[in-house]
Amino acid sequence: MFSSKNNNIIYKYFYIICLFLFLIIFPLIFSNYFNFDSGSFYVFPNLALAGLVYVSAYLDVYSGWIAAYIMFYVYGSMTPLNPSVFGLAGTLSYAASYVVWRRIPYDNVPNEILITFIVSCIFYFILFLIVFYGLNINFLYWNFILSYGFPVTVSTALVSPWVFYIFKKIGFGNFLNKKKLMYL
């Protein structure tokens, strides 16, 4: 039926999907468990966004946009907002990350932190614009920026080297370079 080479590819896809589901679900469980209200700071990183930044270094534009939209649509389906809002913010963040990774010839920890910080700022800025102006939901925008957007952006940037390390450990970059996800 399946050769050992095909089984290896199936296992890699399975590990990657499980890792992304963990990166999506774990922060949401953490935020729900600790029930952050409007007066507190939220500093838990957006691990899915850090994973997106890593993936953008290896995927091409089209398969990356599809993967980013699916990943953030699933992420958005676990929140009270429309999942398409998160899908749009994820694809635009992927585009920004893709462009920045193509301008930098090598990856190291400071570059990983800087790129993740830039992409996270773009992601939360897009969410802010869509929610505040597009959906006309009124809230204290300074509260969003100072107690949620900026702390999450900083923590996501600082945690991103560990997320990148996990992806490198499972060989995700080498896998994408060889396959380029032809089937997406």
Side-chain angles (χ1 to χ4, degrees):
M1 281 208 262
F2 292 111
S3 68
S4 65
K5 184 177 180 181
N6 287 340
N7 283 340
N8 247 353
I9 292 171
I10 291 170
Y11 290 139
K12 285 280 188 186
Y13 279 122
F14 180 73
Y15 290 148
I16 292 164
I17 291 169
C18 288
L19 181 60
F20 268 113
L21 285 175
F22 174 77
L23 293 177
I24 291 169
I25 293 172
F26 185 68
L28 293 173
I29 291 172
F30 186 81
S31 67
N32 189 35
Y33 180 74
F34 287 105
N35 193 15
F36 293 96
D37 54 0
S38 63
S40 64
F41 287 96
Y42 183 77
V43 294
F44 199 77
N46 187 342
L47 299 174
L49 194 58
L52 174 79
V53 172
Y54 180 80
V55 167
S56 67
Y58 296 100
L59 282 178
D60 61 348
V61 168
Y62 302 111
S63 60
W65 277 12
I66 292 169
Y69 185 79
I70 291 170
M71 181 174 62
F72 278 95
Y73 191 87
V74 169
Y75 182 82
S77 67
M78 297 178 197
T79 64
L81 287 177
N82 186 349
S84 299
V85 170
F86 284 92
L88 175 66
T91 55
L92 293 177
S93 299
Y94 176 82
S97 180
Y98 181 84
V99 168
V100 172
W101 272 120
R102 296 313 174 261
R103 304 252 185 230
I104 296 176
Y106 54 90
D107 62 341
N108 56 19
V109 172
N111 286 344
E112 293 167 357
I113 291 172
L114 179 66
I115 292 170
T116 306
F117 182 80
I118 292 168
V119 170
S120 186
C121 286
I122 291 169
F123 179 77
Y124 287 109
F125 183 69
I126 292 168
L127 281 181
F128 170 75
L129 290 177
I130 290 172
V131 170
F132 193 71
Y133 291 110
L135 300 177
N136 201 18
I137 298 174
N138 292 323
F139 58 90
L140 297 172
Y141 58 89
W142 285 109
N143 188 28
F144 173 78
I145 293 169
L146 296 177
S147 68
Y148 183 76
F150 186 71
V152 171
T153 297
V154 170
S155 65
T156 302
L158 294 176
V159 170
S160 65
W162 288 294
V163 173
F164 286 24
Y165 177 75
I166 291 170
F167 277 115
K168 289 175 187 175
K169 211 51 175 160
I170 64 172
F172 189 49
N174 295 333
F175 177 68
L176 289 177
N177 279 338
K178 291 178 186 171
K179 299 296 173 196
K180 290 289 184 186
L181 289 178
M182 299 179 304
Y183 302 108
L184 278 181

